Amino acid sequence: MTHNECRERRFVSHGGDVWGFARKYNIPLEEVLDFSGPINHLGPSPKALESVKENSKLIKFYPDPNPVELCNCIAKYVNQPSVTSDNIILGNGSIELIYMITEIFSKTNFNAVVPVPSFTEYEKAALRLGGQTIYVPLPSDFSMENEKIKKAITPDTKIVSICNPHSPSGRLYLKDEILDLVEYCQEKNVVFSIDENYIEFTDKEQTETMAGYVNKYENLFVIRSVTKFYGMPGIRFGYGVAAKSLIDQLLDVRQPWSINGLAGSVTLAAFSDHEFIENTKRTIAQERVKFAKQLNEISGLQVFPSDANFLLVKITSRNITSTKIKEELAKMGMLIRDCCTFVGLDNTYFRVTVRSDKDNQKLVDAVKTLMSS
């Protein structure tokens, strides 16, 4: 696959398409080893699954249009000073929130600044409304070069979008470097949207989250979901944290009844499952270290440091591409993320989700064989 073909595919390609993979390779869904979608391999919290059964009767009602109690509980879960239910807005996964924050610029000509590589939906959300995306290439170690980002901001810029920890590298940006950008954007009347979908996998969630600063910076929008850490992509539930003034703008463009009737109760059950939370943090951290070491020991591969539940791998050998590795692993029932579809990357990068020791070992053995053939 050429570089241009990879770039064309970025608008339709995401990790985690186990349905299409199972259909294409005639593999039962439960037998697919999905390393492509960075979802908690432990699956949903047992309390969340029990909540689905206990609250199934709710599907005969419209969802609560003003779930005050749910927003209160989410504010407590965020556990940051000054964050209350007034600072919370709900979404159908983080995707709706990414599109919602861009929707407030629908009546203006604007551009969106996105440091790349990054999640492709930030760009698509802007393009959908006729906006223009300004890319700021990140350096090879994916560090945040603030001055380059600031220089990309013009009078037409309405939003800057980043993710922390960064996808696809897993790098965690520290609070002070993020706040520097937030403050600059506030001076320029630019919204700063930060996607914290993976922050719960880190051991620095409470110190590095931006959620506690939303009342100080009215241009700050923090996005989270239960998709990744809580292993519930199918429930489609996310939440945003922002100043009330920004929340009010978002409520004006939000679609009615976008949250299904079970999502709230299932999410609260998951948030209360402290045993699941601690086990996830401990297990992912342990397996990530071991998995990274095993992949790094394969000749021709370089693994980037990660604070998330996935690893970005660069192929330093010229004998094989990420697309070829993906194709060969697919024949073995394993799905990885070919990163040639990310703006700023090419077919020398792929991403793998941290799974169980057994699953990780199976992938390591297969990749080692491919690299040596």
Side-chain angles (χ1 to χ4, degrees):
M1 180 177 296
T2 67
H3 178 65
N4 285 337
E5 288 173 326
C6 286
R7 290 196 64 182
E8 289 173 4
R9 281 179 48 196
R10 75 177 184 268
F11 291 106
V12 296
S13 179
H14 285 295
D17 182 15
V18 292
W19 294 91
F21 183 85
R23 191 177 298 117
K24 179 177 179 179
Y25 292 95
N26 196 28
I27 300 172
L29 198 64
E30 293 297 328
E31 294 181 16
V32 176
L33 281 185
D34 182 20
F35 290 89
S36 70
I39 311 298
N40 185 349
H41 77 280
L42 297 172
S45 147
K47 288 187 177 182
L49 294 176
E50 188 60 32
S51 177
V52 173
K53 299 175 184 177
E54 292 178 354
N55 293 285
S56 60
K57 59 183 178 294
L58 295 177
I59 63 176
K60 67 180 180 180
F61 300 108
Y62 274 110
D64 185 352
N66 184 31
V68 177
E69 296 84 3
L70 175 58
C71 290
N72 273 324
C73 290
I74 291 174
K76 291 178 182 178
Y77 172 78
V78 170
N79 192 28
Q80 292 293 310
S82 77
V83 172
T84 71
S85 60
D86 287 339
N87 300 118
I88 305 297
I89 188 167
L90 309 181
N92 188 263
S94 60
I95 290 292
E96 184 184 19
L97 296 164
I98 289 169
Y99 279 73
M100 197 187 300
I101 189 64
T102 311
E103 190 79 25
I104 64 177
F105 311 122
S106 60
K107 297 180 180 179
T108 64
N109 295 317
F110 72 99
N111 67 48
V113 171
V114 181
V116 290
S118 193
F119 189 40
T120 57
E121 296 296 336
Y122 308 146
E123 175 185 9
K124 290 166 66 176
L127 292 176
R128 175 174 171 268
L129 297 172
Q132 179 182 359
T133 305
I134 306 300
Y135 300 125
V136 182
L138 295 172
S140 59
D141 64 353
F142 306 104
S143 58
M144 192 69 68
E145 295 182 325
N146 287 15
E147 295 310 310
K148 285 188 177 180
I149 296 171
K150 291 176 182 178
K151 288 180 180 178
I153 295 172
T154 71
D156 292 327
T157 304
K158 295 298 181 183
I159 186 169
V160 173
S161 297
I162 73 165
C163 44
N164 191 36
H166 174 250
S167 176
S169 75
R171 179 173 182 141
L172 178 68
Y173 301 120
L174 300 182
K175 176 173 59 181
D176 288 345
E177 57 186 324
I178 299 297
L179 284 175
D180 176 56
L181 289 173
V182 174
E183 290 177 351
Y184 184 83
C185 286
Q186 181 165 263
E187 293 171 4
K188 301 296 182 180
N189 196 29
V190 171
V191 167
F192 190 90
S193 177
I194 181 165
D195 182 341
E196 293 187 346
N197 259 299
Y198 303 102
I199 202 162
E200 286 144 319
F201 287 108
T202 78
D203 59 1
K204 299 177 181 178
E205 173 190 354
Q206 291 303 311
T207 60
E208 304 309 321
T209 179
M210 290 291 103
Y213 292 90
V214 296
N215 288 310
K216 183 177 180 180
Y217 301 102
E218 295 189 2
N219 65 320
L220 177 59
F221 187 50
V222 181
I223 297 173
R224 292 189 180 184
S225 78
V226 299
T227 296
K228 308 301 193 302
F229 184 85
Y230 286 98
M232 300 193 294
I235 208 71
R236 306 310 307 144
F237 185 79
Y239 58 96
V241 189
K244 188 178 184 305
S245 58
L246 185 52
I247 295 290
D248 288 342
Q249 292 183 67
L250 293 168
L251 289 173
D252 286 340
V253 299
R254 182 187 175 203
Q255 296 293 318
W257 292 311
S258 65
I259 309 301
N260 78 72
L262 289 176
S265 56
V266 172
T267 294
L268 294 184
F271 284 175
S272 71
D273 197 339
H274 301 295
E275 182 179 347
F276 170 85
I277 293 170
E278 292 306 314
N279 182 51
T280 291
K281 288 180 178 289
R282 180 175 59 254
T283 301
I284 296 296
Q286 291 173 349
E287 295 301 334
R288 181 176 61 220
V289 171
K290 184 176 181 181
F291 196 20
K293 182 175 183 295
Q294 290 174 315
L295 288 169
N296 255 327
E297 289 173 348
I298 299 175
S299 178
L301 296 184
Q302 173 196 351
V303 181
F304 291 87
S306 173
D307 278 273
N309 67 325
F310 53 83
L311 299 169
L312 181 66
V313 183
K314 180 171 176 57
I315 305 168
T316 57
S317 167
R318 295 186 178 182
N319 297 327
I320 195 168
T321 66
S322 58
T323 304
K324 181 64 174 177
I325 290 177
K326 178 183 178 180
E327 291 171 350
E328 293 302 316
L329 290 176
K331 299 173 184 177
M332 307 176 207
M334 289 178 278
L335 178 60
I336 66 169
R337 181 69 158 91
D338 181 358
C339 290
C340 77
T341 56
F342 282 92
V343 176
L345 298 183
D346 56 26
N347 61 7
T348 63
Y349 292 87
F350 65 91
R351 188 187 69 193
V352 288
T353 301
V354 178
R355 294 180 58 91
S356 68
D357 180 61
K358 179 182 177 182
D359 292 347
N360 296 341
Q361 187 64 59
K362 183 174 182 179
L363 182 132
V364 167
D365 291 342
V367 172
K368 187 181 297 183
T369 299
L370 291 172
M371 293 299 296
S372 60
S373 61

